[in-house]
Amino acid sequence: MGITNTANNSFFESVQRNFDKAAQFTRFDQGIIAQIKACNSILRVKFPVKIGDSIEVIEAYRVQHSHHKLPCKGGIRFSMEVDQEEVMALAALMTYKCAIVNVPFGGGKGGIKIDSRKYTAFELEKITRRYTSELCKKNFIGPGIDVPAPDYGTGAREMSWIVDTYSSLNPTDINAQACVTGKPLSQGGVHGRTEATGLGVFFGIREACAFQEDMEKLGLTPGIAGKRVIVQGLGNVGYHAAKYFQEAGAKLVGLIEYNGAIYDENGLDVDQVQAHRQTTGGILNYPGAINFSDPAEGLEQACDILIPAALESVIHKDNAERIQARIIGEAANGPLTSEADTILNRKGVLVIPDIYLNAGGVTVSYFEWLKNLSHVRYGRLEKRFSENMYNELIDIIESTTGKRVSDLERKMVLRGPSEIDLVHSGLEDTMVDSYREIREIYRNREGVEDLRTAAFICAIDKIGVAYEQLGIFP
Ligand code: GLU
């Protein structure tokens, strides 16, 4: 076992507790339930990397939680909080997440215990490449085995080092590009992956807000426009979520970063806040906004929707009571402890769970993986064909009605689908359908009291059937 800290221990236990609570509502025997819950394989490595003049021993993990479908899938994070328990919990969440959004992968997760701010880009590259070769040595990476992706502290740059290292160690693998997702476009990435998780968060909350009776119960009106939103974490996920909410007419009243929070009831502009952050080094002292030097206070301000989009366990038993939001959208993995969950459910808050809400990232990763395996970009075959068809259709409309459509109208209709159109619509469809599926379980299964339990049930039902079909219990 690696060194574990108490917080991660309870994060892992929280995930297990949520699973157990949901398992009671499913029909599977205890053996199958135990197998769904178990972490299948755990790799812990320690390797030396030359940093400056000295050698540092780096601790890293990759956990494959479930092999019921292959490859395993999930991000790699760089953080000082990384330990075995944390990576196990996150890998388990990936298994359930993939099942909920019908992405045919088992769950996995990786972590390197480093503070990435302390290293140069060159040192980070050495660490990432060495980690990748450790994964290769142990058969913990490959297009059909285990496919990492970005997570907290990593992005397209790290993924490009991973694909390059894997490809050079597997020169005959024609599908090598599919060994990792979230890559830069030039290395086999897909349009739309960068904003995918944030956009998925937006689609998911928008769908939840579309049901009049659910909104009435919360004392809110349906729709996104005019809703007051607070976002915690302006990383890739939080920034894009904030941006899509703002574009849809929501009022971004609060933004929270690790070193402070700002609040303005008249609304903030996320790009202007980002620009301010770039010039001043933080979000505090943004013109017109109230400052909170303790970022935790930002979570407790008045709003309709609170979106924690950073790390786990930020809402816990000591601050849950003071949360004013009526809807919490879990963009991060595990932002609520199970005690906080109980308190917020009691308060009648609608908690939209991580295992559904942040699945946009892995959904678009699935599209990227498919693109890499098919060796063709989305839209290549049908774009021109669709445009020709629409052209003919407009000609028919014009000749039958005797009226001409304007050039602008023709141009709008004539656009065949490009890769970004297909990725965004595939993501929207996934998020909308999956929400409806979870909501149905929530409403119809006797005794289910919250969306998280419904989401876990949804996952267990699908994985349980997959295990039954595998026929591995003779
Ligand atoms: N790290 C993201 C997550 O936690 C994305 C994983 C992936 O794309 O495989 O869902």
Side-chain angles (χ1 to χ4, degrees), residues 90-125:
L90 291 164
L93 291 177
M94 286 308 302
T95 296
Y96 311 134
K97 197 184 296 188
C98 290
I100 288 167
V101 290
N102 298 314
V103 162
F105 296 143
K109 201 80 170 196
I112 306 186
K113 192 182 174 74
I114 51 170
D115 176 354
S116 50
R117 283 170 297 197
K118 288 203 184 133
Y119 299 93
T120 62
F122 175 63
E123 289 161 353
L124 287 173
E125 179 171 351

Side-chain angles (χ1 to χ4, degrees), residues 71-184:
C72 294
K73 189 82 190 81
I76 292 178
R77 61 171 55 188
F78 289 177
S79 145
M80 285 307 288
E81 300 306 311
V82 162
D83 65 20
Q84 187 172 311
E85 299 266 311
E86 186 196 47
V87 187
M88 283 165 75
L90 291 164
L93 291 177
M94 286 308 302
T95 296
Y96 311 134
K97 197 184 296 188
C98 290
I100 288 167
V101 290
N102 298 314
V103 162
F105 296 143
K109 201 80 170 196
I112 306 186
K113 192 182 174 74
I114 51 170
D115 176 354
S116 50
R117 283 170 297 197
K118 288 203 184 133
Y119 299 93
T120 62
F122 175 63
E123 289 161 353
L124 287 173
E125 179 171 351
K126 283 203 285 187
I127 296 170
T128 310
R129 285 185 183 275
R130 176 64 195 251
Y131 173 71
T132 310
S133 58
E134 295 292 329
L135 295 183
C136 287
K137 272 199 277 188
K138 304 286 182 201
N139 228 5
F140 264 71
I141 185 170
I145 300 170
D146 191 345
V147 179
D151 198 77
Y152 184 85
T154 59
R157 179 183 67 169
E158 286 72 18
M159 303 308 115
S160 81
W161 295 329
I162 294 175
V163 70
D164 188 57
T165 309
Y166 178 87
S167 306
S168 60
L169 293 172
N170 296 272
T172 57
D173 185 348
I174 193 178
N175 292 319
Q177 275 194 329
C179 77
V180 64
T181 59
K183 302 178 290 293

Side-chain angles (χ1 to χ4, degrees), residues 218-232:
L218 299 168
L220 299 172
T221 51
I224 292 295
K227 293 242 170 7
R228 297 167 305 157
V229 177
I230 295 180
V231 177
Q232 184 224 14

Side-chain angles (χ1 to χ4, degrees), residues 11 14 18 308 311-316 328 330 333-341 344 351 354 452:
F11 174 38
S14 255
N18 289 329
L311 284 171
E312 51 265 16
S313 308
V314 291
I315 303 176
H316 40 77
I328 296 183
E330 293 189 321
N333 290 308
L336 269 59
T337 64
S338 49
E339 289 98 336
D341 215 19
L344 290 159
V351 177
D354 49 3
R452 189 188 313 280

Side-chain angles (χ1 to χ4, degrees), residues 354-390:
D354 49 3
I355 48 171
Y356 155 69
L357 193 65
N358 69 30
V362 76
T363 301
V364 176
S365 277
Y366 171 47
F367 301 156
E368 179 176 335
W369 181 78
L370 291 174
K371 174 188 179 177
N372 297 148
L373 294 181
S374 65
H375 299 263
V376 64
R377 104 181 118 69
Y378 288 103
R380 176 163 179 183
L381 298 183
E382 67 269 42
K383 190 169 191 304
R384 185 59 62 96
F385 176 78
S386 303
E387 285 172 5
N388 291 342
M389 287 287 286
Y390 301 149

Side-chain angles (χ1 to χ4, degrees), residues 4-5 60 106 109 123 187 214 234 247 255 257-258 282 291 302 387 423 466:
T4 56
N5 75 38
K109 201 80 170 196
E123 289 161 353
Q187 276 174 288
D214 299 358
L234 276 179
E247 279 171 15
L255 289 171
E257 260 295 301
Y258 68 98
N291 283 327
E387 285 172 5
V423 164

